Amino acid sequence: MKTLSIVSTKLSAFLLRLIGRGGSLPGSIGLKINSNILSKLSFSGPIILVTGTNGKTSTANMIADVLSAAGYDVISNRKGDNLKAGIVTTLLTQATLTGKVKATACVLEVDELNIRHILPAIPVTALVVNNFFRDQLDRAREMEQLIHSIENVLPEYDKELILNGNDPNVLRLALCAPKAHCTYFGIDKNQYSVASTKEASEGKFCPKCGHKLEYEYYQYSHIGSFHCSNCDFKTPSLDVCLQNIDLEKETFVYDDQTIHSPYEGMYSMYNCAAVIALAQFLHIDIKYVLYVFQHAPQPKGRNEHFKKDQKECILNLIKNPTGANEVMKVIDKDEDDKVVCIVLNDHEQDGTDVSWIYDTFFEKVCKPSTKKVVCTGTRAYDMALRIYYENYKGPIEIAESIEQAIHSSLSDGLKCYAIATYTALLPTRNAIVKEMSK
């Protein structure tokens, strides 16, 4: 059954490529034939899993690039097929018929809810966890349930945990993994740290005793330096700690070196810290990390810039309050006149519950410098109402299609910030490319 599963996955993937398609269908076929196919594979070299609510794609891709630069032959699900079937597709299409994965390292981005399927099935070397935030309630459920699903598979895990030490919801994983070794990464107090926060925050109570957590400072949301008011649960000593954060220059200091982050925002610097921590664990020279930071490609739709003649557009993905708030901060920094285009969908992959838009600080874009807000998508009217409730003084347009929304947003000759939910991201990007070609 193992060989049949591998052959079926390879063949279906080949046929899909012939018609210009990809995706996780081949893995689904392979799992139908042998539901335990992952445990039948053999590997050589490290296997790295990367998970968390925000930033796992960028982090996993940078880790894969660092390992490649250091001489590993790496396979990775770079396109983000991070559910079980997608991961099976990635591994089986790169395996021999006997089940040996043809690589000296594997880097796999894994959806948080799928860690419970992947971690016990393959010999994982390191699990990297960026953060846990409230996400799509209808799919990911309450965050407590999500974290608990990961905790359940950690008691027998005896390899490396690379954890965001500034996130109490991530740090609690160490409590359930007594056999694992932990490396902690984070960011030191800096000019952007605050003593209190109004952002949606989930790190309020101690996972050990249930008492209130007290914060020395916040970086964003519930990320910061904390300690329990009753027991010894607290921010650990950080093995990788970024210092002297400068969000204007997008730089930080590590090991007495000033390093430029490849992406904007505090949250992106946490991704960098995770990459450095993984490289440190594998004893990879920092020069390879610096090379990747200098040459990291911009993931499509993640602060992606488009410019032609007088048209300029910046595209970003939003899918939950914390990630959206970080995008709002990026837009808020720009004092130039601009147009904001928001594409809000409520398909299954987006999350059918869009109440999270009321936990997002859209007031940061409702300033005089925002000359127009254009709303589209399946929940365009809900988004327009949300902007209206912020007492926005400028015009609010509702477009029937994404193409119309992008055309309107770029028609005034102003810089456009386009923000889109998951299923809307690629169509929005295609509309921008089309509009720029006119």
Side-chain angles (χ1 to χ4, degrees):
M1 296 293 283
K2 176 177 73 174
T3 301
L4 180 59
S5 177
I6 294 171
V7 169
S8 300
T9 301
K10 285 177 173 290
L11 180 59
S12 55
F14 172 73
L15 294 174
L16 284 174
R17 284 197 299 271
L18 287 181
I19 59 174
R21 293 181 58 189
S24 59
L25 177 60
S28 297
I29 295 171
L31 286 167
K32 284 286 186 182
I33 296 171
N34 188 336
S35 61
N36 296 316
I37 186 61
L38 285 177
S39 64
K40 307 299 181 183
L41 302 177
S42 61
F43 299 83
S44 53
I47 301 172
I48 313 300
L49 305 188
V50 181
T51 196
T53 308
N54 294 331
K56 52 186 176 284
T57 300
S58 297
T59 303
N61 288 349
M62 286 193 288
I63 288 173
D65 289 340
V66 168
L67 266 63
S68 293
Y72 287 90
D73 179 15
V74 182
I75 65 169
S76 181
N77 53 341
R78 296 188 71 96
K79 293 183 179 180
D81 291 327
N82 60 21
L83 304 184
K84 185 177 181 180
I87 290 167
V88 169
T89 302
T90 297
L91 294 178
L92 266 59
T93 54
Q94 298 295 322
T96 67
L97 296 183
T98 61
K100 181 174 176 58
V101 177
K102 297 177 289 185
T104 58
C106 295
V107 180
L108 301 171
E109 174 193 339
V110 186
D111 170 79
E112 306 93 286
L113 281 174
N114 280 260
I115 287 291
R116 68 186 191 271
H117 300 306
I118 307 302
L119 189 71
I122 59 178
V124 174
T125 308
L127 170 62
V128 181
V129 187
N130 276 350
N131 48 61
F132 289 128
F133 298 113
R134 183 158 29 109
D135 203 8
Q136 302 160 355
L137 291 176
D138 51 318
R139 189 190 72 83
R141 301 175 290 181
E142 286 291 345
M143 194 177 67
E144 188 69 22
Q145 294 173 292
L146 184 151
I147 297 173
H148 192 56
S149 75
I150 299 176
E151 290 176 328
N152 284 341
V153 297
L154 289 178
E156 297 304 315
Y157 179 66
D158 61 358
K159 299 302 181 182
E160 189 75 10
L161 286 174
I162 298 178
L163 305 176
N164 184 344
N166 288 148
D167 186 339
N169 300 312
V170 171
L171 184 61
R172 63 184 276 187
L173 297 182
L175 303 176
C176 300
K179 299 180 180 180
H181 179 269
C182 295
T183 295
Y184 301 108
F185 64 87
I187 294 179
D188 201 4
K189 187 176 183 180
N190 55 76
Q191 60 180 314
Y192 308 100
S193 305
V194 294
S196 61
T197 181
K198 294 181 180 179
E199 295 181 15
S201 182
E202 305 293 335
K204 295 181 179 179
F205 300 102
C206 176
K208 287 184 68 174
C209 70
H211 282 72
K212 185 178 181 181
L213 289 180
E214 297 178 349
Y215 276 75
E216 288 74 51
Y217 56 84
Y218 295 87
Q219 307 288 25
Y220 67 97
S221 187
H222 60 259
I223 306 297
S225 179
F226 52 85
H227 67 273
C228 177
S229 58
N230 180 66
C231 74
D232 62 351
F233 184 76
K234 64 179 181 179
T235 301
S237 175
L238 300 177
D239 300 285
V240 171
C241 182
L242 308 189
Q243 299 175 317
N244 298 348
I245 305 300
D246 188 332
L247 295 181
E248 297 300 321
K249 297 179 180 178
E250 299 299 341
T251 59
F252 58 85
V253 172
Y254 173 71
D255 197 22
D256 296 326
Q257 295 185 72
T258 298
I259 300 171
H260 190 274
S261 170
Y263 309 117
E264 289 187 56
M266 181 82 72
Y267 61 99
S268 295
M269 294 190 180
Y270 274 96
N271 300 342
C272 293
V275 174
I276 293 171
L278 187 280
Q280 181 175 286
F281 162 66
L282 292 178
H283 305 292
I284 294 175
D285 195 300
I286 189 68
K287 68 182 181 182
Y288 298 114
V289 177
L290 299 181
Y291 175 84
V292 168
F293 287 172
Q294 292 166 5
H295 299 89
Q298 193 71 47
K300 292 181 179 180
R302 271 73 166 185
N303 202 42
E304 188 175 8
H305 289 242
F306 302 84
K307 191 169 185 178
K308 183 180 179 182
D309 300 329
Q310 302 302 313
K311 298 176 181 178
E312 182 178 4
C313 188
I314 299 96
L315 174 63
N316 263 302
L317 170 71
I318 58 171
K319 60 176 184 172
N320 55 49
T322 299
N325 281 334
E326 292 306 297
V327 172
M328 295 304 111
K329 291 175 186 176
V330 171
I331 300 174
D332 187 39
K333 284 197 309 181
D334 188 346
E335 297 295 337
D336 293 341
D337 289 349
K338 65 185 75 68
V339 174
V340 175
C341 178
I342 309 173
V343 191
L344 179 64
N345 279 354
D346 65 348
H347 301 308
E348 184 178 357
Q349 291 171 290
D350 305 294
T352 56
D353 182 348
V354 298
S355 61
W356 60 269
I357 64 176
Y358 287 90
D359 290 323
T360 298
F361 292 160
F362 283 104
E363 63 266 29
K364 288 185 177 295
V365 303
C366 295
K367 305 192 304 183
S369 58
T370 299
K371 299 305 179 183
K372 179 170 68 177
V373 176
V374 182
C375 302
T376 190
T378 58
R379 300 297 287 269
Y381 287 90
D382 297 81
M383 192 65 246
L385 184 63
R386 175 71 183 90
I387 297 299
Y388 174 80
Y389 281 154
E390 286 300 337
N391 198 31
Y392 175 60
K393 302 300 184 183
I396 303 173
E397 290 185 10
I398 294 177
E400 293 301 316
S401 71
I402 294 175
E403 291 77 10
Q404 291 173 4
I406 293 300
H407 176 74
S408 175
S409 299
L410 291 172
S411 63
D412 299 326
L414 299 176
K415 182 188 301 182
C416 169
Y417 283 91
I419 50 182
T421 52
Y422 188 78
T423 62
L425 189 66
L426 184 57
T428 302
R429 187 180 189 276
N430 291 340
I432 294 169
V433 171
K434 182 179 178 180
E435 188 68 26
M436 290 287 182
S437 67
K438 292 180 179 179

